[in-house]
Each structure stands twice: as structure tokens, then as C-alpha cells.
Amino acid sequence: MKTLLILLFLFSNAVLAERQPATVVRVIDGDTIKISAPWVPAPLKPEISIRVSGVDTPEHAGIAQCDLEAQRADKATEFTQGLITHAKKIEVTYTQWDKYGGRILGEVWVDDKALSEQLIAAHLARAYHGEKKQGWCHGQD
């Protein structure tokens, strides 16, 4: 219970409204990163996954509906990894817990540019706001 209260305090509206510096531990896929979270109390692992809100990228093999989707997922992941690797500054803006409870929705800012916008501009993601997702297996976007 104490851990839950601490996490709720950390994600109060004041914290949600501001960009927070972040250290990326790893890129999970095109629209999800894992950041260092030393403020998370033990025995929890001091890391948190951030799912970029407002976008959907293709899923990797195993979850992908076709080979084309898996290939697109690899490109999106490589794109995000490249941005993160070469970034001088990474920040996150927390929005809310995602619907599955294991990640936090938010925006990732890479050198003051929104990752969501960069993924969409590179045709590696689509805008997504909770509606039914479109497939990635037909045609080229």
C-alpha cells in the first residue's frame, strides 16, 4: 500500500504537466521505451516502461499479423533506437497509466522534438487515440 501511495504521489498532476529528464535503459519497440526510475521504491525494479501516447507502431514478429508488419516494426524500433542513441537530451511527459497497468502513457521528447511526431513524419507510426487499430499488412503507407 505504501508503494502505491508513493507512485500515486509521483504521478500527481503537477508531475504530469512537466517534462522530466529521463535516462533510457532500452528501446522496447518503436513506441515504447524503458527508462531508469531510481525513485521507484524497493522491492520494485527501478525502471518504468513509457508507451508513447497518440501513436501506434507495428508489432514485432510473434505478435505481428504478417511478415510486412514485423518488418515495419523492426524499422520503427531502429528509428527510435537511432534517435535515442544520438540524443543530447531526453525528457518524458507522463500522461496516465496505460489500460494494461504495466506501462505509463506519455510523450518522449528527444532533443525537444516529440517522438510521436517524428514517428508519424517518418511514416513509421499512425495517429492512435484508442479507436480500433488499423492493420499493417496491406499496401504501403
Side-chain angles (χ1 to χ4, degrees):
M1 183 66 171
K2 180 179 175 184
T3 300
L4 178 61
L5 291 174
I6 291 170
L7 290 174
L8 288 174
F9 173 75
L10 290 170
F11 292 103
S12 67
N13 288 338
V15 172
L16 291 174
E18 300 176 13
R19 290 187 196 180
Q20 303 290 320
T23 301
V24 177
V25 174
R26 79 180 172 108
V27 172
I28 296 172
D29 60 25
D31 60 14
T32 308
I33 63 170
K34 188 166 287 235
I35 65 168
S36 174
W39 39 264
V40 171
L44 300 174
K45 191 171 184 177
E47 298 176 349
I48 282 203
S49 293
I50 306 295
R51 164 73 167 78
V52 179
S53 60
V55 296
D56 176 47
T57 58
E59 301 294 342
H60 284 285
I63 300 173
Q65 298 296 311
C66 64
D67 289 340
L68 180 59
E69 182 175 6
Q71 292 166 6
R72 289 176 169 181
D74 290 343
K75 287 181 183 177
T77 302
E78 289 167 11
F79 179 84
T80 298
Q81 182 66 58
L83 290 177
I84 297 296
T85 299
H86 297 98
K88 292 180 172 72
K89 178 173 71 170
I90 299 171
E91 298 171 302
V92 295
T93 306
Y94 305 105
T95 306
Q96 65 189 40
W97 289 103
D98 80 343
K99 63 184 176 182
Y100 302 108
R103 304 177 296 189
I104 295 174
L105 293 175
E107 182 60 78
V108 177
W109 300 89
V110 181
D111 294 329
D112 294 319
K113 295 178 184 169
L115 177 57
S116 61
E117 293 174 6
Q118 293 182 72
L119 284 162
I120 290 170
H123 304 286
L124 298 170
R126 295 184 183 126
Y128 174 72
H129 301 285
E131 66 278 6
K132 184 178 180 201
K133 290 184 180 184
Q134 301 175 36
W136 291 96
C137 296
H138 300 287
Q140 302 296 320
D141 294 315

